[in-house]
Amino acid sequence: MIDRFRVGVITSSHGIKGEAKVYPTSDDQNRLKKIKKVYANIKGVETALDIETVRFQKNMALVKFKQFNTPEEIQALRNTDLFVNRENATPLKKNENYIADLIGLNVVDEDGTLLGKVTDVFPTGANHVMEVDMGEKKVLFPYISQCILDVDLEEEKIKVHVLDGLLDL
């Protein structure tokens, strides 16, 4: 399991007071308003950044960090990922997992036959979809209770029910 989760990416500066435009990468866009500290790799050095204010403009968060006061300082951080520690991540509900913890897990069917490894999980509107690399092809499994039977992080595997026709695509 990873210790940090990406919550956003600095895309550019905003205004003259050193605000950063941040593209939120969390399921909950408003999550940035609840965070007081994020981490970034700045010129090869892991740096803690204190969040002063967060406001939104369209799909972007405008974030003011205590450490930066000019647009030039923020411009130098373009394309920098922002992370939070696991303990500051959004709390999980029962039977929920962080997407980052699912990537790389083995996927097995109900008989225990290895199907492949999880390479990605992404939203599609109604539900999330899990991409599984099966070697010769990649298959998308709907991340729904009828398909995902068990997630065992300790054994690093996900047991799935293969829906009729799913592997025929």
Side-chain angles (χ1 to χ4, degrees):
M1 292 193 295
I2 64 170
D3 294 327
R4 295 219 168 122
F5 300 107
R6 187 172 73 157
V7 292
V9 179
I10 296 175
T11 62
S12 65
S13 64
H14 177 81
I16 60 170
K17 297 181 181 178
E19 282 184 303
K21 274 190 179 180
V22 174
Y23 179 76
T25 57
S26 171
D27 282 351
D28 178 9
Q29 180 174 328
N30 289 314
R31 176 78 180 117
L32 284 170
K33 282 189 170 184
K34 302 170 190 167
I35 300 171
K36 298 295 179 206
K37 183 178 293 209
V38 294
Y39 297 89
N41 186 330
I42 300 174
K43 296 181 181 175
V45 177
E46 186 172 296
T47 306
L49 301 176
D50 299 308
I51 295 177
E52 241 175 58
T53 62
V54 176
R55 57 193 178 99
F56 291 93
Q57 184 179 64
K58 297 182 183 176
N59 66 335
M60 301 296 277
L62 303 178
V63 180
K64 174 68 177 89
F65 299 106
K66 289 181 183 176
Q67 290 83 352
F68 304 108
N69 295 305
T70 69
E72 294 77 19
E73 291 174 312
I74 296 299
Q75 257 330 97
L77 301 176
R78 287 186 69 216
N79 300 319
T80 299
D81 292 325
L82 302 174
F83 297 89
V84 294
N85 286 334
R86 179 177 283 273
E87 59 267 12
N88 293 323
T90 303
L92 295 173
K93 296 175 186 162
K94 186 177 179 180
N95 296 323
E96 282 187 337
N97 294 285
Y98 295 114
I99 290 173
D101 290 341
L102 301 177
I103 306 298
L105 294 184
N106 290 316
V107 177
V108 299
D109 65 13
E110 294 167 289
D111 297 326
T113 304
L114 179 65
L115 299 175
K117 284 193 180 289
V118 178
T119 55
D120 201 359
V121 178
F122 49 90
T124 60
N127 54 268
H128 282 66
V129 173
M130 181 174 69
E131 180 182 69
V132 178
D133 185 347
M134 298 181 66
E136 68 282 350
K137 64 181 176 178
K138 291 186 178 183
V139 176
L140 300 178
F141 285 81
Y143 204 87
I144 56 175
S145 61
Q146 295 89 338
C147 189
I148 308 300
L149 302 177
D150 184 49
V151 176
D152 190 333
L153 295 177
E154 288 182 18
E155 290 196 23
E156 299 182 355
K157 72 178 180 181
I158 298 174
K159 184 189 289 186
V160 297
H161 168 69
V162 179
L163 300 172
D164 289 339
L166 186 68
L167 299 180
D168 299 334
L169 300 174

